[in-house]
Amino acid sequence: MSEKFEVIVIGGGPGGYVAAIRAAQLGLKTACIDNYTGKDGKPSPGGTCLNVGCIPSKALLDSSKHFHHLQHEYGAHGISVKEAAIDVPQMIARKDGVVKKLTGGVSQLLKGNKVSFYHGKGRLGVDRSVQVTPADGGDVVSLQGDNIILASGSVPIEIPGVAFDGEFIVDNVGALDFDHVPETLGVIGAGVIGLELGSVWNRLGSKVILLEALPDFLALADKDISKQAAREFKKQGMDIRLGTMVKSASVENGKVNVTVEDAKGKGTHTFDRLLVSVGRKPYTDGLLGDDCGVRLTDSGQIEVNDQSQTSVAGVWAVGDCVRGPMLAHKASEEGIAVAELIAGKPAHIHFDTVPWVVYTDPEIAWVGKTEQELQAADVEYRTGSFPFAANGRALAGGHAAGMVKMLADTESDEILGVHIFGANASELISECVVAMEFQGSSEDLARIIHAHPTLSEAIHEAALHLDGRAIHRGN
Ligand code: FAD
Ligand code: NAD
């Protein structure tokens, strides 16, 4: 006999566990299946995000930022230490502790909301039946759902000729767990992971070289922002080689030899460690039974419509395994929306206002369109900007680098995009997301009182500048 549920969620990452909690809150009998096992051998729900993604990377970014500031920035404040040292195993243990706390918290939340948790691999069969193969090797369990939510996430893309070995040639998992600071670190792909994890080890003393295939740096970001960011990261010692294709990599005598091709021809690099961060792909291995009827797209994503319904009635999919940006908050919002749709409530996701953040120092954050996208779409727009170098709080805190750039429709003045490169950009962008969600205009932001002295005044000034009336810069 199969146990019956109104909702069965396969995958316990930010898409899956959030969907399960919301479904349970709405009074639906819910199960969540996740196969992730923590370093302690115990279930560790939270997916990539909590275990080997968003959270551990931010823990290491924060640790390495303290170390870097101690060495390079505190002097200006009159603070000195005789000798700064980094204890890598302690830093990694702290990161693991943060992960443990949060994944344990997810287990508690699932329990508290009366979600039945299964630690194992879920496989969807016909008519919304699900088989769970327990992670501890126990007997297969059969479940039956009125609704199934697939939230199986993503895995790193491997490039031909550059095989992961988990020690010298690694993905995000390996680069979050180095036991010492590599003298030299090669990074293939100067995207989000490359920049964040490259920053961690660069701050701790590695010589970091990023090998990026595209001729443009951070092609998704607005060009004014990516240009400033490239300059700043170079100053920090990150060596970003654009237009560089990696051909192969091999390990010899504890070193990684990498062959590349760029405009000048073929070349080689030798590194102590190599991080491959060239994007992620949807993970559906073992998830879909042969006759379950769920279709995949040509690029391997689970095919869904704009309400996250798959090709099978009652089967939904959210997060990294479907179309759209691979971001934790996007996955969670989709999970909530699906749970609400199942419960018969209205729900909708505005993909146009999903914020992006790159947690470098300074941070990069944006919402909406870039100037290049508006030009390509022939949209008439006006631009306003404000440098943090003219913001009192930024100067007081020693964060003068970067700017806010705002784009608004020429006729209606509706905000079409905001791009920030600067300290706390990850927090500052929320105000702009709210403004855009309410279809706000630059005039709205210009008229809203911003506390002084705060970094958010740079957003206020960018809005004023858009109308030629900034106070603290020339117009
Ligand atoms: P996942 O988090 O991947 O979770 C899927 C879960 O399902 C996993 O636990 C997996 O083991 C499990 N699973 C898969 N198949 C099955 C099955 N058949 N049965 C049972 N369980 C299964 N995003 C941000 O928004 N901000 C960030 O700062 C950020 N930083 C990142 C840093 C790194 C290094 C990486 C790698 C990613 C980062 N991301 C970040 C992306 C973010 O982690 C993902 O977008 C997010 O985790 C996707 O959530 P998800 O629920 O779709 O999938
Ligand atoms: P990415 O798409 O951000 O960057 C990959 C980079 O690798 C691109 O610039 C691409 O041009 C380059 N590339 C691809 N093939 C190459 C090759 N053969 N040689 C050299 N360069 C090559 O992917 P990622 O950094 O692996 O991250 C994956 C996803 O995880 C991101 O897209 C993002 O959705 C998510 N993520 C988000 C955050 C965040 O929100 N702060 C942090 C980390 C990861």
Side-chain angles (χ1 to χ4, degrees), residues 171-183:
D171 58 14
N172 54 299
V173 180
L176 288 165
D177 260 346
F178 289 147
D179 57 7
H180 65 285
V181 180
E183 222 166 279

PDB file of all heavy atoms in Angstrom, residues 171-183:
ATOM      1  N   ASP A 171      34.852  21.620  -8.571  1.00  0.00           N
ATOM      2  CA  ASP A 171      33.697  22.491  -8.793  1.00  0.00           C
ATOM      3  C   ASP A 171      33.498  23.310  -7.516  1.00  0.00           C
ATOM      4  O   ASP A 171      34.396  23.388  -6.665  1.00  0.00           O
ATOM      5  CB  ASP A 171      32.464  21.658  -9.178  1.00  0.00           C
ATOM      6  CG  ASP A 171      32.128  20.625  -8.114  1.00  0.00           C
ATOM      7  OD1 ASP A 171      32.665  20.711  -6.987  1.00  0.00           O
ATOM      8  OD2 ASP A 171      31.318  19.719  -8.393  1.00  0.00           O
ATOM      9  N   ASN A 172      32.297  23.894  -7.350  1.00  0.00           N
ATOM     10  CA  ASN A 172      32.036  24.712  -6.168  1.00  0.00           C
ATOM     11  C   ASN A 172      32.230  23.929  -4.874  1.00  0.00           C
ATOM     12  O   ASN A 172      32.707  24.456  -3.871  1.00  0.00           O
ATOM     13  CB  ASN A 172      30.617  25.297  -6.219  1.00  0.00           C
ATOM     14  CG  ASN A 172      29.541  24.240  -6.408  1.00  0.00           C
ATOM     15  OD1 ASN A 172      29.535  23.539  -7.413  1.00  0.00           O
ATOM     16  ND2 ASN A 172      28.642  24.109  -5.461  1.00  0.00           N
ATOM     17  N   VAL A 173      31.883  22.631  -4.907  1.00  0.00           N
ATOM     18  CA  VAL A 173      31.968  21.832  -3.677  1.00  0.00           C
ATOM     19  C   VAL A 173      33.429  21.789  -3.201  1.00  0.00           C
ATOM     20  O   VAL A 173      33.730  22.061  -2.035  1.00  0.00           O
ATOM     21  CB  VAL A 173      31.422  20.404  -3.908  1.00  0.00           C
ATOM     22  CG1 VAL A 173      31.514  19.584  -2.632  1.00  0.00           C
ATOM     23  CG2 VAL A 173      29.984  20.456  -4.416  1.00  0.00           C
ATOM     24  N   GLY A 174      34.331  21.499  -4.123  1.00  0.00           N
ATOM     25  CA  GLY A 174      35.754  21.418  -3.769  1.00  0.00           C
ATOM     26  C   GLY A 174      36.311  22.767  -3.352  1.00  0.00           C
ATOM     27  O   GLY A 174      37.072  22.873  -2.379  1.00  0.00           O
ATOM     28  N   ALA A 175      35.919  23.824  -4.074  1.00  0.00           N
ATOM     29  CA  ALA A 175      36.502  25.146  -3.799  1.00  0.00           C
ATOM     30  C   ALA A 175      35.984  25.751  -2.500  1.00  0.00           C
ATOM     31  O   ALA A 175      36.514  26.745  -2.017  1.00  0.00           O
ATOM     32  CB  ALA A 175      36.223  26.093  -4.963  1.00  0.00           C
ATOM     33  N   LEU A 176      34.933  25.146  -1.925  1.00  0.00           N
ATOM     34  CA  LEU A 176      34.440  25.602  -0.616  1.00  0.00           C
ATOM     35  C   LEU A 176      35.122  24.833   0.517  1.00  0.00           C
ATOM     36  O   LEU A 176      34.809  25.057   1.683  1.00  0.00           O
ATOM     37  CB  LEU A 176      32.918  25.376  -0.522  1.00  0.00           C
ATOM     38  CG  LEU A 176      32.038  26.304  -1.358  1.00  0.00           C
ATOM     39  CD1 LEU A 176      30.615  25.755  -1.470  1.00  0.00           C
ATOM     40  CD2 LEU A 176      32.022  27.705  -0.761  1.00  0.00           C
ATOM     41  N   ASP A 177      36.005  23.928   0.137  1.00  0.00           N
ATOM     42  CA  ASP A 177      36.574  23.035   1.146  1.00  0.00           C
ATOM     43  C   ASP A 177      38.087  22.856   1.035  1.00  0.00           C
ATOM     44  O   ASP A 177      38.602  21.865   1.558  1.00  0.00           O
ATOM     45  CB  ASP A 177      35.898  21.651   1.039  1.00  0.00           C
ATOM     46  CG  ASP A 177      34.819  21.483   2.092  1.00  0.00           C
ATOM     47  OD1 ASP A 177      34.786  22.291   3.033  1.00  0.00           O
ATOM     48  OD2 ASP A 177      34.009  20.541   1.962  1.00  0.00           O
ATOM     49  N   PHE A 178      38.795  23.765   0.359  1.00  0.00           N
ATOM     50  CA  PHE A 178      40.258  23.627   0.318  1.00  0.00           C
ATOM     51  C   PHE A 178      40.790  23.616   1.757  1.00  0.00           C
ATOM     52  O   PHE A 178      40.302  24.381   2.599  1.00  0.00           O
ATOM     53  CB  PHE A 178      40.902  24.806  -0.429  1.00  0.00           C
ATOM     54  CG  PHE A 178      40.666  24.820  -1.922  1.00  0.00           C
ATOM     55  CD1 PHE A 178      40.561  26.026  -2.605  1.00  0.00           C
ATOM     56  CD2 PHE A 178      40.567  23.639  -2.652  1.00  0.00           C
ATOM     57  CE1 PHE A 178      40.358  26.061  -3.980  1.00  0.00           C
ATOM     58  CE2 PHE A 178      40.364  23.660  -4.031  1.00  0.00           C
ATOM     59  CZ  PHE A 178      40.259  24.870  -4.690  1.00  0.00           C
ATOM     60  N   ASP A 179      41.812  22.774   2.015  1.00  0.00           N
ATOM     61  CA  ASP A 179      42.318  22.731   3.390  1.00  0.00           C
ATOM     62  C   ASP A 179      43.495  23.679   3.608  1.00  0.00           C
ATOM     63  O   ASP A 179      44.046  23.775   4.692  1.00  0.00           O
ATOM     64  CB  ASP A 179      42.665  21.297   3.806  1.00  0.00           C
ATOM     65  CG  ASP A 179      43.678  20.668   2.864  1.00  0.00           C
ATOM     66  OD1 ASP A 179      44.201  21.384   1.984  1.00  0.00           O
ATOM     67  OD2 ASP A 179      43.947  19.453   2.998  1.00  0.00           O
ATOM     68  N   HIS A 180      43.933  24.358   2.543  1.00  0.00           N
ATOM     69  CA  HIS A 180      44.964  25.382   2.677  1.00  0.00           C
ATOM     70  C   HIS A 180      44.744  26.401   1.563  1.00  0.00           C
ATOM     71  O   HIS A 180      43.941  26.150   0.657  1.00  0.00           O
ATOM     72  CB  HIS A 180      46.364  24.755   2.572  1.00  0.00           C
ATOM     73  CG  HIS A 180      46.640  24.178   1.219  1.00  0.00           C
ATOM     74  ND1 HIS A 180      46.090  22.989   0.782  1.00  0.00           N
ATOM     75  CD2 HIS A 180      47.364  24.653   0.176  1.00  0.00           C
ATOM     76  CE1 HIS A 180      46.495  22.743  -0.458  1.00  0.00           C
ATOM     77  NE2 HIS A 180      47.258  23.730  -0.861  1.00  0.00           N
ATOM     78  N   VAL A 181      45.474  27.507   1.637  1.00  0.00           N
ATOM     79  CA  VAL A 181      45.336  28.514   0.576  1.00  0.00           C
ATOM     80  C   VAL A 181      46.239  28.092  -0.584  1.00  0.00           C
ATOM     81  O   VAL A 181      47.456  28.058  -0.427  1.00  0.00           O
ATOM     82  CB  VAL A 181      45.763  29.909   1.093  1.00  0.00           C
ATOM     83  CG1 VAL A 181      45.614  30.953  -0.018  1.00  0.00           C
ATOM     84  CG2 VAL A 181      44.957  30.308   2.321  1.00  0.00           C
ATOM     85  N   PRO A 182      45.652  27.757  -1.736  1.00  0.00           N
ATOM     86  CA  PRO A 182      46.521  27.373  -2.855  1.00  0.00           C
ATOM     87  C   PRO A 182      47.364  28.572  -3.283  1.00  0.00           C
ATOM     88  O   PRO A 182      46.861  29.697  -3.285  1.00  0.00           O
ATOM     89  CB  PRO A 182      45.539  26.986  -3.969  1.00  0.00           C
ATOM     90  CG  PRO A 182      44.173  27.197  -3.462  1.00  0.00           C
ATOM     91  CD  PRO A 182      44.234  27.778  -2.084  1.00  0.00           C
ATOM     92  N   GLU A 183      48.629  28.318  -3.618  1.00  0.00           N
ATOM     93  CA  GLU A 183      49.474  29.445  -4.044  1.00  0.00           C
ATOM     94  C   GLU A 183      48.902  30.077  -5.317  1.00  0.00           C
ATOM     95  O   GLU A 183      48.833  31.287  -5.449  1.00  0.00           O
ATOM     96  CB  GLU A 183      50.883  28.922  -4.303  1.00  0.00           C
ATOM     97  CG  GLU A 183      51.949  29.842  -3.777  1.00  0.00           C
ATOM     98  CD  GLU A 183      53.285  29.133  -3.760  1.00  0.00           C
ATOM     99  OE1 GLU A 183      53.539  28.364  -2.801  1.00  0.00           O
ATOM    100  OE2 GLU A 183      54.022  29.331  -4.727  1.00  0.00           O
TER     101      GLU A 183
END
